[in-house]
Amino acid sequence: MINSLTTPFGRFDAAWRAVERPELVADPTAAALRAWAGAEPAESVLVVDTDPEKADTAAFCETYDVPLDASANCVIVSAKRGQEVTFAACVALATTRVDVNKAVRKHLGARKASFAPMETAVAETGMEYGGITPLGLPADWPVLIDEAVAASPYVLIGSGRRRGKLILPGRFLAQLPRAEVLPQLAG
């Protein structure tokens, strides 16, 4: 058995390096960790095995004693300009909301932007709703990260599955392919 590691926050039965427990994350997430070439080592990403019924942010944070300001959400946005539709991932702390109508729409140069429907987000990412993560998204998608997330020593985010979450340095997310750190992405 792989030894459990200590987490920087929360109350979990066990934690492991995500690269050593690919069965606990979505397939696209595991593939992204295997192919990782960023400056922050892939081994800095931890995974915790949790109850999928408690995956939603408020319930999760209460159950596992995780501060809301240490939890980040990844939402998928659909942006339209003419007939062209672009998808993007937006990552913000759970204590804030992504500014889709102004910050995201303007940054993507879209006429209209909105949260992608659940069915679309799941189909396009290959991940489970309630667990979508920026690790392992389609290569051509922009990943917009609020500066507060990138500046966080550690954040908790989805693993691509409802069961399990990742804990990683905020700066790790800023090193993802197509990642852009934006001031005031969320408020």
Side-chain angles (χ1 to χ4, degrees):
M1 171 141 182
I2 300 169
N3 292 332
S4 179
L5 302 171
T6 302
T7 59
F9 49 72
R11 216 176 359 87
F12 304 102
D13 292 337
W16 306 271
R17 289 181 182 84
V19 293
E20 296 170 354
R21 298 297 305 268
E23 75 279 7
L24 296 178
V25 303
D27 290 343
T29 307
L33 287 168
R34 280 192 305 273
W36 183 250
E40 193 71 26
E43 291 77 16
S44 66
V45 179
L46 304 179
V47 63
V48 291
D49 191 13
T50 58
D51 180 353
E53 296 300 315
K54 306 285 186 179
D56 294 328
T57 304
F60 186 93
C61 288
E62 183 178 333
T63 301
Y64 295 101
D65 198 24
V66 173
L68 273 175
D69 62 357
S71 181
N73 292 319
C74 178
V75 295
I76 305 304
V77 172
S78 172
K80 283 182 126 179
R81 183 178 193 132
Q83 296 302 316
E84 184 180 336
V85 176
T86 302
F87 291 103
C90 299
V91 183
L93 294 176
T95 54
T96 65
R97 291 183 177 259
V98 173
D99 182 1
V100 174
N101 292 319
K102 289 183 184 170
V104 175
R105 183 184 57 76
K106 183 177 177 181
H107 185 78
L108 296 176
R111 181 183 53 76
K112 181 181 177 187
S114 59
F115 294 108
M118 176 180 63
E119 305 80 28
T120 303
V122 168
E124 294 291 329
T125 63
M127 298 179 193
E128 296 175 3
Y129 189 76
I132 293 175
T133 184
L135 279 79
L137 293 175
D140 60 338
W141 285 21
V143 178
L144 309 179
I145 301 167
D146 187 73
E147 66 184 350
V149 172
S152 296
Y154 288 93
V155 293
L156 178 127
I157 196 157
S159 67
R161 298 177 60 199
R162 285 186 65 83
R163 180 181 193 141
K165 299 286 186 187
L166 301 176
I167 298 173
L168 45 74
R171 64 187 172 272
F172 186 98
L173 295 172
Q175 297 169 22
L176 289 168
R178 304 246 11 232
E180 299 177 67
V181 177
L182 300 178
Q184 302 174 341
L185 174 66

